[in-house]
Structures are given as structure tokens and as C-alpha cells.
Amino acid sequence: MLNLVAAAFATGLALIVPTAWHLTSVAARKLHQAHEQAAKQRFADIFIFIEPARIARFSAAAMFAVLVVALLLGAPLLLSVVLSLLVLLIPRMAWSRMRASRQHRLTHQLPDAMLLLAGRLRSGQGLTQAIAQLAEHQPAPITQEFQLLTRKQRLGMPFDRALSELGARVPTADYALFATAIRVARELGGNLGETLERLAESMRRRLAMENKIRALTSQGLLQGWIVGLLPILLFMALLIMEPVVMREMFLRPLGWCALSVIVLLELAGFFVIRRIVRIDV
């Protein structure tokens, strides 16, 4: 009887394990493909065309290099592993930084582009022709967006849909207002050139106010960075000067609690200072 139960159990395992392995492999492959496609689309939205596999190889090599260097410098194993894992955040942080910088430039280039577009409309050009000529004589990155808008329309995409996709790629209030003004003028009529001129002047005044506020709060932001980095630098200095004493913080529960409190306080201070100096206009 026991032999039959064992045989049935072994047969069940022989059938279940390969099936589970196959389903897990298929799910992992689909998840990897979806993640790779999403990463590729994120970089394509900011007009950076790079294969995600190359980024993954670079991240793996950098993670291994940081781990080896940290161990050679005498850092504890746990700290070395944590530092090496933090390298995986670099591509995401770099993408966020490049995206924010690109949106900042797009926002500051839009008023001038709208004034030029309004001038071309006043001279008698059509909207499509004016945008096409504007795309050829503007600096990057706004010329990339207008050129993409023009190419999509030439390939048969409706103009309203191309405007909607422009607003999705540049999710700022200025580009939403720009797209709305053009859409309303196309549907209801009106003097689009005058509307664009008024909207551009309003954007310029708001951007000037934002730049003034940013200049006034830059000192507080710098002080926040300095205060936030001082404990980290002091911790690293003590780790190099007194590695035996500092190693106890990674080996005992009391040290883990202290490190957790330090990290939480650092994060809380960072977000509080960021909230204070961040003023929406």
C-alpha cells in the first residue's frame, strides 16, 4: 500500500513539476518582455533610443564593480551589498532627471514657439503649414515634438489625436493649454493667432515668477542638501576610521534599530525641506 502511495506521489510530482516550471518560465518571459518594452517606451518618449538590454548589462557590471571596490576598501559585507544594489536605481534616476530637464526646456521654449506660430498665422499661413515650418527652425527638444506631430499627421493620423499624444508625452499644464486652444479654435473658430499671443504672454509672466521663486528658495534647498548629507558623510568617515566599532551596528539588533531611525529621519528631513522650498505657482 505504501509503495502505491509513493508511486502515485512520484507520478504526480513528475507531472506537476514540469508543468509548473513551464508556466513559471512563460510568465517570467512575458513579464521580462513587458518590462523591457515599458523601459524602451519610456526612453523613446524623451527621444533617447537605447536598448534596455544594454542598460541591464551596464547596471550588472556597475553593481559588481561597486561590490568588489567596497569589499576591497574594508566595508562590511552587508553595506557592500546594499551599495551594490543601490546601483540598480541609477538608470531610473537618470531617466527621471533627463525627463524633468527635458520638460523644463520644453516649457520655457513653448512661449517663443507660440509667438512665432501666431505670427505665421497672422501672415496668412495655415495651421498645419505653420507648425511644419516652425518645427524646422526651432531648437531641440521642442523641434522634435513638432516634427513628430507633423510626421504623424502626414501619415494619416487626425490632427486632434496627434495633439492629444503630444500632451501625453509632455504632461504639463502649458502644453495642455496649447492643445486646448488649437482644438477649440479649430472647432468653434476665432482668432487663433491672438489667442496664442495672449497665452504666450501669460506663460512668460508665470515662468518669470517661477524663476524668481526658484532663485529665492535655492539657498534653503542647498542648506537642506548640506544638512542631509552631513550625517551620511560622518557615518562613512567613522566607518573608515573605526571599522571595528562601526561593524557592531550591522551585527546587533540595537544597531539595526539605530540605522533604521537614522534612515527614517533622513528621509523625513529631506521630504520636509523639499516641501517647504517647493512652491507651486
Side-chain angles (χ1 to χ4, degrees):
M1 186 64 181
L2 292 176
N3 293 334
L4 291 176
V5 173
F9 182 73
T11 303
L13 285 179
L15 294 175
I16 293 174
V17 171
T19 304
W21 178 262
H22 175 70
L23 294 177
T24 303
S25 301
V26 172
R29 185 164 55 252
K30 289 184 178 180
L31 182 62
H32 174 72
Q33 291 176 354
H35 177 72
E36 190 175 82
Q37 185 65 26
K40 189 174 182 179
Q41 184 62 39
R42 285 197 300 267
F43 278 97
D45 287 341
I46 58 176
F47 286 80
I48 296 179
F49 303 98
I50 185 172
E51 292 297 329
R54 182 178 300 179
I55 299 176
R57 291 194 296 267
F58 171 78
S59 299
M63 183 175 62
F64 179 75
V66 169
L67 179 62
V68 172
V69 171
L71 291 176
L72 291 177
L73 292 177
L77 179 60
L78 180 60
L79 179 61
S80 302
V81 172
V82 171
L83 291 176
S84 63
L85 291 177
L86 290 177
V87 176
L88 298 177
L89 300 177
I90 293 179
R92 180 74 180 188
M93 295 172 61
W95 173 80
S96 300
R97 182 65 178 173
M98 289 187 293
R99 182 172 179 266
S101 176
R102 189 173 188 273
Q103 288 185 359
H104 178 75
R105 286 182 291 163
L106 284 170
T107 301
H108 282 73
Q109 289 175 348
L110 183 59
D112 293 337
M114 290 173 63
L115 289 176
L116 291 175
L117 182 60
R120 292 182 181 276
L121 292 176
R122 287 180 179 275
S123 66
Q125 290 185 347
L127 178 60
T128 304
Q129 183 182 5
I131 292 178
Q133 293 186 1
L134 188 67
E136 297 177 357
H137 301 92
Q138 289 296 302
I142 197 171
T143 183
Q144 299 170 339
E145 297 293 343
F146 283 151
Q147 286 177 355
L148 184 59
L149 175 66
T150 304
R151 290 171 186 172
K152 287 185 176 181
Q153 189 181 10
R154 289 175 180 174
L155 291 174
M157 180 179 291
F159 188 76
D160 291 342
R161 182 181 174 185
L163 275 178
S164 300
E165 292 188 358
L166 172 63
R169 288 192 307 273
V170 191
T172 60
D174 293 340
Y175 278 82
L177 289 174
F178 171 69
T180 302
I182 293 179
R183 191 178 296 111
V184 170
R186 284 169 56 87
E187 293 179 358
L188 303 179
N191 192 340
L192 180 58
E194 184 179 353
T195 302
L196 292 178
E197 286 182 353
R198 292 180 179 178
L199 190 58
E201 291 298 328
S202 176
M203 290 180 182
R204 276 185 170 179
R205 289 194 296 267
R206 184 182 57 80
L207 290 174
M209 186 179 298
E210 287 183 353
N211 292 332
K212 184 177 181 180
I213 293 174
R214 188 177 296 109
L216 294 175
T217 58
S218 60
Q219 182 179 0
L221 184 61
L222 179 60
Q223 290 176 352
W225 278 106
I226 294 175
V227 172
L229 290 176
L230 276 178
I232 299 176
L233 296 176
L234 179 60
F235 180 82
M236 295 178 63
L238 291 175
L239 190 63
I240 296 174
M241 297 171 60
E242 298 290 342
V244 178
V245 177
M246 296 297 293
R247 191 176 290 115
E248 297 296 325
M249 297 191 67
F250 299 95
L251 300 178
R252 295 187 179 184
L254 185 60
W256 300 341
C257 295
L259 290 175
S260 301
V261 171
I262 291 172
V263 172
L264 291 176
L265 291 177
E266 282 284 321
L267 292 176
F270 174 78
F271 285 112
V272 168
I273 294 176
R274 183 182 178 88
R275 181 65 178 175
I276 291 174
V277 301
R278 187 175 183 178
I279 303 173
D280 296 328
V281 180

